[in-house]
Amino acid sequence: VLTVSQVAVHLRELLESNPFLSDLWIVGEVSNLRASSSGHSYFTLKDSVASLNCVLFRGQGGAAILDNGKLVRAHGRMSFYEPRGSTDFMVDRVLPEGEGELAQELERLKARLSQEGLFEESRKRPLPQFPEIVGVVTSPTGAAWQDIQNIVRRRYPLARLLLSPTQVQGLDAAPSIAAALERLDADGSSDVIIVARGGGSLEDLWPFNEEIVARAIFGSRIPVVSGVGHETDFTIADYVADRRAPTPSAAAELVVPDGAILRQTVAAWTERAQRGALRAVEAGRVEVANLSRRLESGLPDLGNLKRQVDDMADVLGNNFNNRLRMARLEVDNFESRLRTLDPAATLRRGFAVVQHGDTGTVVFLGWPGDRRRFAEDNRSRRNDTWHGGRRANTGE
């Protein structure tokens, strides 16, 4: 009876001591390429039937040539890694051989779909800023679905997730993905759709390179975000989708806003609006004060006007009184002059007017002292009339 370690060491010694297996050139397609932090490369060489685990340590030639889907010629030796119980091809040199079958098929499909306009940037639609319902096409048991739920719940719990379950790996995965996407599109309640699965090899991600999935994404009336694989994985679904995210988690972050940032933004806008309102009010107060001062400076001084009016009233009153007094003096003068010239007044003072009784001819004008002489000269006349203070008929 042997231990596991004894058998594992025996296998390793058998492989490494075999001259044929110690100096091999192998042609195959690179898949599952992974670079460690120490600089070593781990990948698979495969053909249509089988695959080999390969290790290329840092410093060996050809690491830059390695790429998923690329056909290469690798030199090395076979070994057995006891801790994992794996048979590995220890590569020490890599040369380019050409494109692998899957990679060639992928490039042909990409070229045809691109020519049909499925990758055209001008047809891609913007994502809604605040989605209410986010449709998700992925496996309900995969880590991608859990990651999407956690991120949406943390960032934007107002959004509701609507899962359309599908297979994401295997021969039936591509039709299942297309059908799940078409269900969400027919339902029409989603604002945006995420098509997602976690990372894997080129074969694992191949359903997202199928034409049926590409045309389902292209035909969707709802914007579609692809989140397939890891950062370095690109599928045809990524080229057709309205937006591409490197991972399912990044897709969830892309379709919903960050609630914390929204709250900060709203608070900043509120503070800015308050400051703006206060500045506007203060500016209005200053403007009103300036206008008030301008109005006050433009209005006449009512106190001065009142004093001017009082002064003018005094001047006019004095002028009126003076003119009235002068008018009265003139009237008095005229009255005195009129009294002087009044015949009645003259007669009352003794002035006499003597007229002929028959003809009315004035025969005498004079003062009473002249009456005796008048009487002596005209004694012989008869029916003369003497006018003095009264009318007299003498009969003479």
Side-chain angles (χ1 to χ4, degrees):
V1 178
L2 300 175
T3 64
V4 173
S5 298
Q6 289 172 330
V7 174
V9 169
H10 182 67
L11 287 174
R12 178 173 59 81
E13 290 176 349
L14 283 176
L15 292 174
E16 293 181 351
S17 63
N18 188 307
F20 175 73
L21 298 178
S22 298
D23 186 13
L24 292 174
W25 282 96
I26 300 177
V27 175
E29 184 177 332
V30 177
S31 180
N32 296 325
L33 176 62
R34 179 176 61 87
S36 68
S37 59
S38 59
H40 309 318
S41 298
Y42 301 90
F43 59 97
T44 301
L45 281 180
K46 66 183 183 63
D47 56 18
S48 59
V49 178
S51 64
L52 284 173
N53 294 330
C54 302
V55 179
L56 178 66
F57 290 123
R58 183 178 62 182
Q60 303 293 339
I65 299 175
L66 295 176
D67 194 10
N68 285 324
K70 195 166 188 178
L71 193 65
V72 298
R73 181 184 301 176
H75 180 268
R77 58 183 175 83
M78 297 302 299
S79 181
F80 187 81
Y81 187 50
E82 296 98 326
R84 292 185 180 177
S86 62
T87 302
D88 298 328
F89 182 43
M90 310 303 292
V91 180
D92 55 34
R93 187 179 182 189
V94 177
L95 296 175
E97 183 70 17
E99 295 293 335
E101 292 181 7
L102 285 178
Q104 291 177 6
E105 182 181 348
L106 178 62
E107 290 303 320
R108 286 193 296 268
L109 181 59
K110 281 174 60 177
R112 180 161 58 84
L113 296 180
S114 177
Q115 188 175 7
E116 293 182 22
L118 271 68
F119 303 162
E120 186 64 40
E121 289 292 331
S122 60
R123 58 157 288 274
K124 297 189 176 183
R125 298 153 294 189
L127 303 182
Q129 189 173 10
F130 304 105
E132 296 181 7
I133 299 178
V134 177
V136 181
V137 175
T138 192
S139 170
T141 59
W145 171 235
Q146 298 300 322
D147 292 342
I148 291 172
Q149 291 184 85
N150 293 335
I151 289 174
V152 171
R153 190 180 301 115
R154 172 175 53 83
R155 286 173 60 91
Y156 193 66
L158 296 177
R160 183 165 63 90
L161 293 176
L162 180 60
L163 175 65
S164 184
T166 180
Q167 299 179 36
V168 293
Q169 187 172 336
L171 294 177
D172 298 328
S176 178
I177 294 169
L181 185 59
E182 290 169 355
R183 285 196 300 270
L184 287 178
D185 189 53
D187 177 73
S189 63
S190 299
D191 299 305
V192 63
I193 297 174
I194 298 175
V195 177
R197 75 147 282 163
S201 66
L202 179 61
E203 293 79 8
D204 296 336
L205 302 180
W206 190 256
F208 296 90
N209 288 319
E210 296 282 358
E211 182 175 357
I212 187 173
V213 174
R215 295 198 180 277
I217 294 174
F218 181 80
S220 174
R221 297 170 299 172
I222 302 170
V224 177
V225 175
S226 66
V228 178
H230 296 304
E231 186 92 26
T232 57
D233 296 322
F234 278 86
T235 65
I236 287 180
D238 295 326
Y239 294 105
V240 183
D242 296 283
R243 293 287 296 275
R244 182 229 176 215
T247 63
S249 299
E253 293 177 349
L254 188 62
V255 299
V256 295
D258 190 336
I261 295 178
L262 284 178
R263 288 188 290 271
Q264 293 174 2
T265 302
V266 170
W269 285 351
T270 302
E271 184 179 356
R272 184 182 303 174
Q274 291 175 347
R275 290 199 304 266
L278 290 175
R279 286 196 299 268
V281 170
E282 186 60 27
R285 289 176 179 172
V286 172
E287 183 66 18
V288 169
N290 292 335
L291 290 174
S292 177
R293 286 193 296 269
R294 289 173 60 186
L295 287 173
E296 290 177 356
S297 63
L299 291 174
D301 190 343
L302 296 179
N304 290 335
L305 287 179
K306 289 179 179 180
R307 288 192 293 270
Q308 293 178 9
V309 170
D310 292 340
D311 294 342
M312 292 177 66
D314 292 340
V315 172
L316 290 175
N318 293 333
N319 290 339
F320 178 78
N321 292 332
N322 292 335
R323 296 186 67 129
L324 181 61
R325 188 167 52 253
M326 291 179 66
R328 287 177 178 173
L329 290 175
E330 291 180 359
V331 169
D332 291 342
N333 291 335
F334 282 130
E335 184 179 2
S336 177
R337 292 172 63 188
L338 287 176
R339 283 198 302 268
T340 302
L341 298 177
D342 185 10
T346 304
L347 293 177
R348 282 194 298 272
R349 291 196 303 272
F351 191 82
V353 178
V354 179
Q355 294 175 312
H356 193 279
D358 294 330
T359 63
T361 302
V362 175
V363 296
F364 176 75
L365 289 173
W367 295 98
D370 299 329
R371 181 178 177 183
R372 186 178 295 106
R373 187 176 61 255
F374 173 77
E376 292 177 354
D377 292 340
N378 297 287
R379 192 178 301 273
S380 61
R381 297 182 180 177
R382 302 177 63 185
N383 296 328
D384 290 337
T385 303
W386 172 263
H387 292 280
R390 60 186 180 279
R391 181 178 176 91
N393 291 325
T394 60
E396 292 181 356

